[in-house]
């Protein structure tokens, strides 16, 4: 409450109002967290360093322009209470201090560059705690081990090429056996 009101209110009333404000903040924080976790497929969790307002604004703008993500600070005590009875209980281990949750501004599913997010985390000295992706929870170590989409594409193409060669060889052997044109057959 503004200092001008406090001298006119009894101490007991002031304490009740402060308790009410704290409870309201907790409820609001849990509502934000529930909304973010249930409507966004991808959420990144960071341990934020102390930053001045200019750095905070710069970070918010870069997250928005480079990744399409926005973020919100979440209090760990409030969050743990909500997470206890939610499908996101696995996130409790991340809630050791104040956290910053980065999530897509829009609800629709879209591709987010993990490399860009990790680059911004490094630039602003954000400690990566983990990520929620389609209700899977990855630790910071697991997140860093993720391969880029191009590497996965290369692995899939390689597997497909090997599979294709095996099929061609099998068909060739079958054709040679049926026609007798292979090794040791008439030719």
């Amino acid at each position: 409450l503004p200092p001008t009101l406090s001298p006119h209110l009894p101490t007991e009333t002031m304490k009740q109002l402060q308790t009410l404000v704290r409870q309201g903040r907790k409820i609001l924080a849990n509502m934000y967290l529930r909304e973010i976790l249930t409507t966004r497929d991808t959420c990144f969790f960071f341990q934020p360093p102390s930053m001045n307002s200019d750095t905070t604004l710069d970070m918010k703008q870069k997250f928005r322009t480079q990744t399409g993500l926005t973020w919100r600070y979440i209090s760990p005590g409030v969050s743990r209470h909500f997470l206890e009875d939610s499908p996101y209980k696995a996130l409790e281990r991340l809630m050791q201090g104040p956290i910053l949750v980065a999530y897509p501004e829009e609800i629709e599913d879209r591709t987010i560059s993990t490399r860009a997010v990790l680059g911004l985390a490094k630039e602003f000295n954000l400690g990566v705690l983990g990520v929620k992706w389609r209700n899977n929870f990855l630790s910071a170590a697991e997140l860093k081990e993720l391969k880029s989409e191009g590497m996965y594409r290369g692995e899939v193409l390689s597997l497909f090429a090997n599979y294709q060669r095996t099929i061609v060889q099998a068909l060739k052997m079958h054709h040679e056996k049926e026609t007798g044109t292979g090794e040791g057959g008439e030719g």
Side-chain angles (χ1 to χ4, degrees), residues 54-67 69-72 103 105 124:
D54 289 338
T55 305
T56 302
L57 180 61
D58 183 37
M59 183 176 75
K60 191 164 199 139
Q61 289 172 342
K62 284 186 177 182
F63 262 87
R64 182 172 284 136
T65 58
Q66 293 180 21
T67 64
L69 299 176
T70 190
W71 45 266
R72 179 171 299 280
Y103 57 94
E105 291 182 283
F124 291 100

Side-chain angles (χ1 to χ4, degrees), residues 33-187:
L33 188 60
R34 180 180 297 120
E35 173 72 14
I36 292 166
L37 292 176
T38 58
T39 62
R40 305 313 198 275
D41 277 341
T42 307
C43 298
F44 293 88
F45 299 88
F46 301 103
Q47 183 177 18
S50 59
M51 292 184 268
N52 63 33
S53 60
D54 289 338
T55 305
T56 302
L57 180 61
D58 183 37
M59 183 176 75
K60 191 164 199 139
Q61 289 172 342
K62 284 186 177 182
F63 262 87
R64 182 172 284 136
T65 58
Q66 293 180 21
T67 64
L69 299 176
T70 190
W71 45 266
R72 179 171 299 280
Y73 285 106
I74 302 288
S75 166
V78 172
S79 307
R80 270 192 240 112
H81 176 71
F82 159 69
L83 293 171
E84 285 175 1
D85 298 322
S86 81
Y88 311 106
K89 186 173 177 67
L91 289 174
E92 279 185 295
R93 61 189 166 98
L94 299 178
M95 306 292 180
Q96 302 303 316
I99 63 165
L100 183 142
V101 181
Y103 57 94
E105 291 182 283
E106 304 297 324
I107 292 177
E108 73 259 0
D109 191 19
R110 62 179 203 75
T111 304
I112 298 170
S113 169
T114 304
R115 179 180 289 160
V117 173
L118 292 176
L120 286 171
K122 186 175 181 178
E123 179 180 342
F124 291 100
N125 199 27
L126 300 172
V128 178
L129 298 172
V131 65
K132 169 203 167 268
W133 182 70
R134 295 187 178 167
N135 291 331
N136 293 307
F137 304 98
L138 303 174
S139 69
E142 292 168 325
L143 179 62
K144 289 177 183 175
E145 290 175 8
L146 287 179
K147 298 174 184 175
S148 71
E149 186 178 326
M151 289 178 71
Y152 281 119
R153 211 176 282 138
E155 287 178 4
V156 169
L157 290 175
S158 174
L159 289 172
F160 181 71
N162 287 339
Y163 180 69
Q164 187 178 21
R165 275 192 295 274
T166 303
I167 290 176
V168 168
Q169 288 172 347
L171 288 173
K172 185 178 177 183
M173 285 176 44
H174 177 72
H175 176 70
E176 289 173 354
K177 182 180 175 186
E178 291 294 315
T179 61
T181 58
E183 293 177 17
E186 299 173 14

